[in-house]
Amino acid sequence: MSQYTPPLRDMQFVLHEVLKVEEAFKTMPAHAELDVDTINAVLEEGGKFASEVLFPLNREGDEIGCTLDPQTHAVTTPPGFAEAYRQFVDGGWAALSCDPDYGGQGLPVTLNQAFYEMLNSANQAWTMYPGLTHGAYDALHAHGTPEQKATYLPKLTSGEWTGTMCLTEPHAGTDLGLLRTRAEPQADGSYRITGEKIFISSGEHDMAENIIHLVLARLPDAPAGSRGISLFIVPKFHVNADGSVGERNGIYCGAIEHKMGIHGNSTCQMVLDGAVGTLVGEPNKGLAAMFVMMNAARLGVGMQSLGLTEVAYQNAAAYAKERSQSRALSGAKAKDKAADPIIVHPDVRKMLLTARAYAEGGRALGMQVALLIDEAQNAPDEATRRDAEASVALLTPIVKAFLTDNGWLATSHCMQVFGGHGFIREWGMEQYVRDNRINMIYEGTNTIQSLDLLGRKVLGDQGAQLKKFGAQIQQFAMANMQDARMQEFLLPLADLGEKVNKLTAEVGMKAMSNPEEVGAAAVDYLRVVGHLVFAYLWARMARVALDKADSGDRFYAAKLVTARFYFAKLLPETASLIRSARAGVEPLMAMEEDWF
Ligand SMILES: Cc1cc2nc3c(=O)[nH]c(=O)nc-3n(C[C@H](O)[C@H](O)[C@H](O)COP(=O)(O)OP(=O)(O)OC[C@H]3O[C@@H](n4cnc5c(N)ncnc54)[C@H](O)[C@@H]3O)c2cc1C
């Protein structure tokens, strides 16, 4: 049976010792009063909710999944899901980082991010219901009219109502410019929306009183393509003038998908049959407004894979200490037994350490980005807010794609540690692999994230933002250069920084004569930059661990070992990635289409 312990010690390390969040929060008026004890207490309670309430529902959620009643269009979630959601709402967890003006607790996004990591470890499928709700809250908070905010935000904040994002249509996935759902303006200022959406996560369920769908659709006179898309609020039940839930609206679930993983989350085909909606933001500017939700969801998906990486690692490490097979190559270690525990074998250790390094590195990155979001929202001066926002924009595709690719590798390695026992259902490991696979696909596939990073975020501004990030690394390296113990981390970090600069310039040059070069290099490129970000964060974590090396606390000793493993065994992957990126587009396009 699978187990999960919230990694509170490591979270505290990242928050308090690496990122020094208390100091950072002191510069933000909204969070200036927040102290270490409060942060730790919230995470401890959040960890209990994740491990004691959600985690026990994970297995059954996978086995039973969601069911649709085709007569009533009602979806029933797995046993315990609705009750856990009620506890989540009653406990005020939905409101953690929401705006106090709408009933939120006003705590930092950083804290919410750490909380969501634990929820995802415990039960990714369940966590998607409140996760999407929070994204819908973000989009309406940024773009809703005062009336829309007053109507919807308090209920989304409390979690009494949940939210969805309705983008995808059968013929329009990555390319939303193709979408056909139509919105007809009505005399009363509302719109009648008709069309079909597919793959809508949490589109219908029995966990909340109302579901607020954020729907992309076209107005009758809209220009073709992505410039003609508008955003609408379409509630499952109309909302009466006094805020109470009214009649059923014309949006319903026509079918639910049967899929590889996340069975506990309802993936719905949503039919809009003249459903009444209200416009959010300006006509034809819907995609930009929706990007608030999409960016939040992209970070959220990164946290989903981080959560699964952590829980898979915990189980594989425990198993490797108990399962006995073969003797160590250097001779018997457990002489009183017929065989040694498999943790003596170098390759089992490599698999475990890979998952551990990806979990701890991912946690540092996830929290760093969340802290930047807090800064972007709350720093007193505009220049800091703008800088933080630009850093978040650069790092978002890396969180989404690098963490989910790593999560896929890590959960697969952890399953491998179990041998055949990982492949059968009993231990719960194959569910982690299956659940994790979607994270590389939805919210913009990882290919699309890579194109966003290289094409828009890096080449789009002639590398300016990437250079700023490089300058931060240089500053850190300069400050620590004198310490001989840091050389093993700083030298490869500086070396990779230079190589990224060269690679960026080379691809940028080639792309001027052939834009396909961007598409050929992007996926390798994102992984290289992902490693640059991880190497920087691992060097910072090693710095803290070195300072505590004499403390006798084995947490720091283990942190250093993991940092050294990362630099010795994972970072070198960048050499082959750079080679592949530099090989360019020719090997890909030389094949004629009809030869495939
Ligand atoms: C379980 C699940 C839950 C989902 N939840 C939601 C949801 O809540 N709301 C919602 O709106 N959608 C949701 N989706 C849809 C999801 O976001 C899309 O599946 C995804 O964006 C990809 O679109 P597609 O499946 O149509 O693939 P396609 O767009 O057809 O892509 C197919 C392949 O082509 C590649 N490709 C496409 N265009 C390019 C390009 N320009 N360059 C390089 N490669 C390209 C893709 O990377 C991919 O590998 C969900 C999907 C699933 C499976």
Side-chain angles (χ1 to χ4, degrees):
M1 257 311 165
S2 189
Q3 54 186 327
Y4 174 61
T5 307
L8 296 175
R9 177 71 181 91
D10 200 53
M11 285 182 168
Q12 288 164 7
F13 170 77
V14 171
L15 290 173
H16 306 312
E17 297 182 73
V18 181
L19 301 177
K20 297 190 167 50
V21 294
E22 196 187 20
E23 276 172 39
F25 291 148
K26 289 226 179 315
T27 66
M28 306 174 198
H31 304 314
E33 305 297 315
L34 200 59
D35 59 22
V36 169
D37 289 344
T38 311
I39 294 170
N40 291 350
V42 172
L43 289 182
E44 199 174 319
E45 281 308 306
K48 277 189 201 153
F49 179 80
S51 58
E52 293 172 15
V53 179
L54 288 190
F55 186 64
L57 306 176
N58 190 45
R59 174 72 180 262
E60 222 179 16
D62 181 54
E63 284 174 354
I64 296 177
C66 295
T67 47
L68 171 75
D69 179 337
Q71 307 305 321
T72 62
H73 305 294
V75 169
T76 305
T77 54
F81 269 43
E83 168 56 22
Y85 190 73
R86 195 187 57 72
Q87 287 185 43
F88 179 81
V89 172
D90 290 350
W93 291 111
L96 206 65
S97 63
C98 295
D99 186 343
D101 284 351
Y102 301 100
Q105 298 185 36
L107 285 165
V109 172
T110 310
L111 213 52
N112 205 45
Q113 186 93 325
F115 176 50
Y116 264 77
E117 182 206 311
M118 297 188 281
L119 299 182
N120 281 311
S121 284
N123 197 329
Q124 172 175 327
W126 183 94
T127 304
M128 289 169 69
Y129 295 96
L132 283 156
T133 304
H134 197 77
Y137 159 91
D138 279 338
L140 290 182
H141 195 270
H143 292 284
T145 62
E147 196 189 341
Q148 287 169 335
K149 288 182 182 187
T151 306
Y152 296 105
L153 287 185
K155 296 289 191 183
L156 293 172
T157 296
S158 67
E160 285 165 89
W161 297 351
T162 61
T164 74
M165 55 196 302
C166 298
L167 286 60
T168 307
E169 297 179 8
H171 53 280
T174 300
D175 188 355
L176 291 170
L178 299 173
L179 69 82
R180 292 185 196 139
T181 296
R182 295 188 65 76
E184 297 285 343
Q186 305 297 301
D188 65 357
S190 69
Y191 295 80
R192 287 270 177 185
I193 302 170
T194 302
E196 188 193 350
K197 297 285 176 181
I198 60 164
F199 298 164
I200 305 308
S201 300
S202 318
E204 178 58 56
H205 57 78
D206 54 2
M207 289 165 54
E209 184 188 26
N210 204 357
I211 302 175
I212 309 308
H213 302 282
L214 294 192
V215 179
L216 291 182
R218 285 185 184 288
L219 294 167
D221 56 350
S226 55
R227 293 202 183 133
I229 297 176
S230 303
L231 176 62
F232 300 88
I233 300 174
V234 181
K236 173 180 168 184
F237 290 102
H238 294 293
V239 181
N240 297 323
D242 64 357
S244 61
V245 166
E247 295 291 302
R248 194 79 163 77
N249 198 0
I251 180 167
Y252 61 88
C253 174
I256 53 174
E257 305 297 346
H258 301 283
K259 51 197 194 285
M260 176 176 177
I262 54 165
H263 295 156
N265 190 266
S266 55
T267 307
C268 302
Q269 291 175 25
M270 299 303 296
V271 179
L272 292 111
D273 186 8
V276 178
T278 52
L279 182 70
V280 182
E282 289 176 49
N284 303 327
K285 299 274 171 65
L287 210 47
M290 198 68 188
F291 254 104
V292 175
M293 184 164 186
M294 285 153 80
N295 281 329
R298 285 171 179 185
L299 296 173
V301 172
M303 299 315 282
Q304 290 175 347
S305 275
L306 169 59
L308 293 180
T309 302
E310 173 65 30
V311 69
Y313 165 74
Q314 287 187 18
N315 284 280
Y319 186 81
K321 285 188 252 184
E322 276 175 16
R323 174 75 173 167
S324 296
Q325 289 294 294
S326 322
R327 287 297 186 192
L329 291 170
S330 55
K333 302 290 180 236
K335 294 206 171 81
D336 55 327
K337 297 205 176 118
D340 287 332
I342 58 172
I343 199 158
V344 303
H345 305 306
D347 192 56
V348 169
R349 287 170 163 258
K350 187 177 179 195
M351 292 189 280
L352 292 174
L353 280 162
T354 299
R356 182 174 176 133
Y358 281 151
E360 294 179 9
R363 182 167 300 123
L365 175 56
M367 303 231 188
Q368 170 71 85
V369 174
L371 185 60
L372 285 164
I373 295 174
D374 281 319
E375 248 173 52
Q377 291 175 356
N378 297 295
D381 65 298
E382 206 195 321
T384 310
R385 287 201 299 273
R386 264 210 318 268
D387 273 359
E389 202 173 321
S391 299
V392 173
L394 181 75
L395 293 172
T396 295
I398 297 170
V399 173
K400 162 47 167 94
F402 194 55
L403 264 54
T404 59
D405 283 348
N406 291 347
W408 172 243
L409 291 169
T411 50
S412 175
H413 281 323
C414 290
M415 191 181 98
Q416 185 85 3
V417 168
F418 280 73
H421 299 271
F423 192 71
I424 63 164
R425 302 206 76 177
E426 184 185 349
W427 291 88
M429 298 305 286
E430 51 85 47
Q431 185 190 344
Y432 296 137
V433 179
R434 284 186 290 106
D435 282 356
N436 194 69
R437 189 61 184 84
I438 185 59
N439 297 336
M440 299 152 83
I441 298 174
Y442 58 18
E443 269 330 309
T445 62
N446 285 2
T447 304
I448 297 305
Q449 303 302 322
S450 306
L451 290 169
D452 179 44
L453 177 73
L454 179 56
R456 280 186 58 222
K457 307 276 168 68
V458 174
L459 299 180
D461 75 352
Q462 277 85 42
Q465 194 56 36
L466 185 69
K467 277 188 199 123
K468 275 194 188 170
F469 182 69
Q472 247 181 57
I473 297 179
Q474 258 174 348
Q475 210 179 4
F476 171 79
M478 299 285 277
N480 290 281
M481 203 74 93
Q482 301 309 321
D483 186 341
R485 297 171 305 168
M486 282 297 288
Q487 298 296 318
E488 63 178 308
F489 308 113
L490 295 181
L491 295 178
L493 176 61
D495 179 53
L496 183 58
E498 268 176 42
K499 287 183 171 141
V500 167
N501 286 341
K502 278 193 194 147
L503 180 63
T504 308
E506 184 177 325
V507 177
M509 285 298 289
K510 287 204 264 184
M512 281 199 251
S513 50
N514 183 1
E516 302 283 8
E517 292 286 354
V518 174
V523 170
D524 292 329
Y525 183 86
L526 183 141
R527 202 153 172 83
V528 173
V529 178
H531 273 300
L532 179 67
V533 175
F534 260 38
Y536 171 50
L537 289 167
W538 268 112
R540 286 171 64 187
M541 293 195 277
R543 168 73 276 166
V544 178
L546 281 169
D547 289 341
K548 299 280 175 63
D550 298 332
S551 67
D553 185 341
R554 67 183 193 167
F555 175 87
Y556 299 108
K559 188 63 79 180
L560 265 180
V561 169
T562 313
R564 288 186 178 124
F565 166 82
Y566 173 76
F567 277 89
K569 292 285 190 184
L570 299 181
L571 195 65
E573 180 195 11
T574 50
S576 64
L577 289 165
I578 290 171
R579 234 176 127 170
S580 165
R582 293 188 64 198
V585 75
E586 177 58 21
L588 304 174
M589 297 315 224
M591 184 82 86
E592 296 293 333
E593 243 178 73
D594 60 359
W595 298 352
F596 277 97

